[in-house]
């Protein structure tokens, strides 16, 4: 199944995602991108690992590299922030990835911005650890 997903790193960038083969491709449309609707997930990189969070047929899924997981609410996730390397652990899978160059300090008072807006691993861990948010994401 082909779905449209949005880039985590670059606002406005979208891609076509084949949920069966896990291939990202260009969006084919007659006009320019419509970022206001149609996105059923997001994609980004945790180092060399492609990460895709998406909802299809009412089910929230997470693809990390070649592993595709159904997010049923019982999958534990942990994020660890290091000096140069961050770690995301989902179930038994652990991914080490470079700490984002641009970050928001946890004590930064900037309105409407959170540290997870700059770190996809933290974003994923926060969603996976919040059953209500998991249920609402990409509905």
């Amino acid at each position: 199944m082909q779905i449209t997903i949005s880039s985590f790193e670059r606002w406005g960038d979208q891609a076509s995602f084949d949920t069966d083969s896990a291939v990202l491709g260009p969006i084919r449309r007659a006009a320019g991108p419509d970022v206001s609707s149609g996105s059923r997930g997001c994609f980004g990189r945790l180092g060399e690992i492609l990460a895709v969070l998406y909802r299809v047929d009412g089910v929230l899924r997470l693809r990390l590299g070649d592993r595709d997981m159904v997010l049923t609410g019982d999958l534990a996730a942990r994020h660890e922030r290091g000096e140069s390397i961050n770690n995301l652990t989902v179930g038994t899978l652990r991914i080490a990835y470079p700490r984002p160059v641009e970050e928001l300090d946890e004590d930064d008072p900037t309105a409407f911005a959170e540290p997870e807006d700059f770190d996809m691993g933290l974003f994923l861990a926060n969603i996976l650890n919040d059953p209500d948010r998991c249920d609402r994401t990409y509905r």
Side-chain angles (χ1 to χ4, degrees):
M1 171 185 284
Q2 294 282 338
I3 62 172
T4 298
I5 57 177
S6 301
S7 171
F8 180 82
E9 288 100 8
R10 285 182 273 193
W11 187 88
D13 284 359
Q14 292 183 316
S16 175
F17 179 65
D18 186 315
T19 60
D20 299 318
S21 66
V23 173
L24 283 177
I27 299 271
R28 289 180 175 80
R29 351 175 181 237
D34 176 12
V35 297
S36 63
S37 65
S39 183
R40 294 173 59 187
C42 70
F43 69 95
R45 294 226 170 249
L46 298 173
E48 297 298 316
I49 305 293
L50 174 65
V52 181
L53 179 67
Y54 65 101
R55 186 175 295 274
V56 69
D57 296 329
V59 178
L60 189 63
R61 303 180 76 95
L62 174 62
R63 180 172 285 276
L64 293 171
D66 60 355
R67 295 208 29 206
D68 190 52
M69 299 166 253
V70 174
L71 303 182
T72 59
D74 60 351
L75 192 61
R78 188 175 74 232
H79 179 267
E80 299 167 86
R81 184 176 172 186
E83 286 199 33
S84 62
I85 300 291
N86 287 353
N87 291 290
L88 173 66
T89 305
V90 178
T92 59
L93 177 64
R94 182 176 175 157
I95 298 172
Y97 62 97
R99 187 170 162 179
V101 175
E102 296 192 16
E103 290 183 306
L104 182 69
D105 184 50
E106 292 181 8
D107 297 324
D108 190 307
T110 305
F112 308 111
E114 298 292 332
E116 73 174 30
D117 296 335
F118 300 89
D119 183 340
M120 186 167 192
L122 178 58
F123 171 73
L124 294 172
N126 287 347
I127 288 176
L128 271 62
N129 289 324
D130 183 341
D132 290 333
R133 189 171 174 191
C134 233
D135 185 54
R136 292 187 317 265
T137 300
Y138 299 116
R139 287 229 183 246

